[in-house]
Amino acid sequence: MFRRDLRPDSWFFSFLVGSLSRSLFAFAALARNQTSKGFAPVTIETSRHMYEYVATALDWWHADRYCEQHFAQLLVEPQGNEQASFSKLLHSHHIRGSVWLNERDGVLHKPKRRRNHIVPVLVFGHKTDTKYVKVLSDFPALPAVTACAHLQWDTRTQEIATVFSYAVPAFINEFQLRGFVDEEGFVRFALIVHEHHSPYLPVFRADGQWHHFCVTWQQENGTWSIYADGKRRASASGLCAVGSVPQAIYGQGTFIIGQDQDSLGGSFKEKESFSGNITDLHIWQKVLSVEQIEKVRSCWVVEQDLVFRWSSNTLEVESTVQEVTAQFLCPGPVEECRVFEVGSSGFSYASCLQTLPFICLYRKDAYWQLKKAHLESSHSLVGRVNMLAERTVIPESIFTSDVQDMNLSVALGALDVLATVLKERETSVLESSDLLSVLQLLKQVSDVEVQEGEELKMLEQLGQYYVEVTELILEEQNIETWSSVSQVIRGPMAVVELCDKMVSLLAPLLTAGRTKIMVQHGNVGMEVRKLELGKQLTSEAYLVQTSEKDSHDLIEVPAEEMQRLKARGLHKLVVKNMWFGYSSLQRCLSGTDNTVVFQDTAASDGGQKYLSTVVGTAVISAALLSDYQEISTSVRYHLQHHVQDLSNTPVGPICAFWNFSLSPDAGGMWSTSGCSVVTSLPDSTACFCNHTTNFAVLLQVYNMQRTTKEELTLQTLTFIGCGVSFCALIVTFILFLAVGVPKSERTTVHKNLIFALAAAEALLMFSELAKTNQVVCFMITAFLHLFFTAAFSWMLVEGLLLWSKVVAVNMSEDKRMKFYYVTGWGFPVVIVTVTLATSFDKYVADTHCWLNIQTNVIWAFVGPVLFILAVNTFVLFRVVMVTVSSARRRSKMLTPNSSLENQIGIQIWATAKPILVLLPVLGLTWVCGVLVHLSVIWAYVFIVLNSLQGLYIFLVYAVYNSEVRNAIQRMKDKKKALSFTNCSHPINYLSSPRNTTSWETGRPSVAESALSSPVQKDPPVKNITNKGNFGAKIPMGISSIMSPERPAVELTAFKSSGF
């Protein structure tokens, strides 16, 4: 029954203020406990992880923040087979009881902290027929409705009380909520719609505390529900007119708080009036979901389909109703969080607001990287910041810092000092510990809870400082520092996550008169804007002016997408945008292996081969929110290319976004899902993606690769050329052995060069057939490496032999030959052996039987070749200089009165002849290989010159070699002489002075080692012995005919009879 001895109104006001004060005091005590110093964590090391047990009890949210701010994560639920062993591990370190867990796939959707909320509170002191509050709002027809509020129920009466009533001319009791306190001490609610009454059902205990309720109803089937403190307490269907078509709640009615209307807007009765306190009443033209009801309970307003928002300006308050503005501590989330029971190795659930010990989980490499950064720190930046702030803004040790609930003014002061110090040290490189300390502070600032009533100008200034600090730590001199802490922070995109939290804090700055907030400093920018989906819908673009003239980056939501969102019933949206210009962020992302999207190569017909992927543009992001929930929508973005060192390299643009859920240990990776290239220009790319997140354009770097037709042509030319060359080399080698060419340094070097080159070209012709057999392919690669290196080594010997003909060398012939053999065969064997020993697994290429050009193995061939080509180039240059000088003197001596044109012609021929003769023999045609990557034409030239090297050697060493020709002629003469001797005078041939002079008494001289006239018919000259070292030998010509007393000095490593 209703008790008449009511206390005065002041009792309710005192009760209201007292309950709010007690809540705030309890919250402050909890915060002090959560930020108390002296944490003494216990560290446990395993083979893969480091565990840090923190004995100080925190709620789940603060425990999670503690681990996050220490670059770790809250302990993840152990797998089934790991639970017992992990529990024993904790026992061995004297850890007992319950600890918080972070579920592997669980996502907590509820607000993470209780928040202070400044609101008008209506105080209905006692039951009366005069106290009421009228809602000044025009209600539309409501086919569905949700009404929510916070209230304190007067526990002194058990009479029925009307919380609110909505009346229209057709139905006085169109929509009404009433309740009473039952004998068991529970408040029971009943809902009335179209004068149809639901039963009274218990919803919360009548304990004098604040409770939150929501009631919902929808026209279809008359389904209704009642929620209290986030839980659904009652629900049913059929709350509508029986036997008739369900009708929506009529519009344009009168809404009264605290009284039951017996007539439209009046005829109140004391016994049905409300006694208690009420605040935060909101009404929607739809049925809210459970998640949305929980948000409303935590004082977050759902904007979508909101028809009435709680505000003093929309209320007509009767004079005896007290209206007070109070700081209301919103209820925390009621979601239960996972708990690990150490003793029983089992799991349970507890309220997330309960305080428990917890364990932070580190990856082992990240933990020791963090330790290393701390030990190597000079603390110069931290000390400077704390000195300027005259307090501890940044703790010196990352491991001992506490969880701090910063307010707006503290955060603003901290970032102000930090930005000042970073600008002072703008040109210096941050230490690893300094960067980690700055990131730790940014984490704390991004967790700031903006309370209602705080100075919003401070919030905008906080955003300015946040962007400035972010831009300063992303400067290019800090690239190495970012790379050094990549394991700790899970990649450089961690700073993007922090900025995303910060831009969300700027939303309270949006008002009816200010619909866009933009903050930009250097290479970092962020924007938050409010959108009204009205009749005129246009695309919404975030335009960023870059440092380049007449160029910009942008991201936009297309107009057709805005129309689609409006069709879904959305009317008010908040858009968040961020932009990170080209800086150390992109360079770090390009330099980490986990950021490569994929490793597939371009099609062979495309003429390109994939090399690598780099981030070639700014990183830009967009997100649309409705009622603090992100909405999926498509976007278009256009970004300028910023990679300067790829101007002459073919690249393929890829539209991609950063997916934090892929490879979470590395902080995520790039993905192309749902994104495509719209247009691509040399300096920019436009993309379309069917979702919102952080975007960029990745540039796949290629080298020019030949088409299939070109490859087939080049392979055919190589096979034919190598075949001709191999046959020519074999014939030349046989001739040297069969015709009896006199043995000398020169012929020995020729034979070794011919053998090495013939073996290499034979293996090269058939190497394609061995690709399918891994063992055979490996062996062929090793022998190809050996014989090609040996061929070049003997080309070097050819150059050294030629040098010995130009410059006197004080070394005996035997010693020279030993040196030549060591150079020609020993050097290649050493190179191949060392390469196999150090790079066995990376030795062979993936697609053919040759050295792997993707690794440093290729330098085991290219390095020696470049050295040999450099030496032989110098030798050739020296030979040409000597030959030209000799030709000039000879021309003046023999034909002193010749014309200038004739002398020039003689000198040109004197220059061209040794080049043409020696260029292939010394291997200098391989210089064309340096130009192959420029054009396929150079590839054709290279193959023709080098695959026909054997044919060229055959022509020079055999066909036009006077020694070989004389030996063949001798064989012919001997054959004729033998057949003539059989008939008459065999002794005459044996005493032939010609043959004695040529082969027995006429030992090859320096003069005979040069290029001579095509057919030498003069008698052999006498040996000329130079005594002493006179420096360079001065030849008189290439094909001069000299008297026996003064023979010409000829300069080649072989003796030819013509060219």
Side-chain angles (χ1 to χ4, degrees), residues 1034-1048:
I1034 309 299
M1036 302 305 296
I1038 293 181
S1039 57
S1040 59
I1041 302 175
M1042 303 294 292
S1043 64
E1045 291 76 19
R1046 188 165 182 168

Side-chain angles (χ1 to χ4, degrees), residues 277-291:
N277 306 314
I278 189 168
T279 187
D280 246 10
L281 173 66
H282 296 82
I283 302 173
W284 292 265
Q285 190 181 0
K286 71 169 189 176
V287 174
L288 296 185
S289 65
V290 176
E291 290 79 9

Side-chain angles (χ1 to χ4, degrees), residues 139-145 166 217 219 247-251 283-285 307:
F139 289 91
L142 301 173
V145 65
Y166 176 72
W217 177 87
Q219 176 180 340
Q247 297 290 329
I249 294 176
Y250 290 99
I283 302 173
W284 292 265
Q285 190 181 0
V307 294

Side-chain angles (χ1 to χ4, degrees), residues 424-436:
E424 290 176 355
R425 302 160 47 94
E426 192 167 357
T427 58
S428 60
V429 179
L430 285 175
E431 295 180 0
S432 299
S433 61
D434 291 339
L435 180 58
L436 292 172

Side-chain angles (χ1 to χ4, degrees), residues 287-412:
V287 174
L288 296 185
S289 65
V290 176
E291 290 79 9
Q292 289 174 324
I293 288 174
E294 181 59 27
K295 278 187 170 295
V296 173
R297 176 178 175 267
S298 300
C299 307
W300 297 94
V301 178
V302 176
E303 300 286 348
Q304 185 178 351
D305 294 319
L306 182 66
V307 294
F308 171 71
R309 177 192 292 268
W310 185 252
S311 171
S312 298
N313 298 327
T314 58
L315 299 175
E316 180 185 298
V317 182
E318 194 268 333
S319 60
T320 59
V321 177
Q322 288 183 283
E323 181 182 5
V324 296
T325 300
Q327 188 173 4
F328 181 75
L329 184 61
C330 295
V334 296
E335 185 166 0
E336 293 182 328
C337 297
R338 193 87 155 159
V339 173
F340 180 62
E341 303 293 346
V342 178
S344 62
S345 301
F347 302 101
S348 63
Y349 285 90
S351 170
C352 297
L353 289 175
Q354 184 178 337
T355 58
L356 290 174
F358 57 95
I359 296 175
C360 293
L361 171 65
Y362 296 86
R363 287 180 297 120
K364 197 169 184 177
D365 54 350
Y367 181 84
W368 290 117
Q369 196 175 65
L370 195 61
K371 277 285 189 184
K372 180 182 177 183
H374 173 64
L375 293 174
E376 295 177 353
S377 173
S378 65
H379 304 295
S380 58
L381 181 137
V382 173
R384 176 67 175 159
V385 170
N386 293 337
M387 183 185 71
L388 286 181
E390 297 180 347
R391 63 183 182 86
T392 303
V393 174
I394 304 176
E396 290 191 358
S397 174
I398 298 172
F399 292 95
T400 59
S401 59
D402 306 320
V403 179
Q404 296 183 17
D405 285 318
M406 283 189 172
N407 59 37
L408 195 55
S409 61
V410 172
L412 183 62

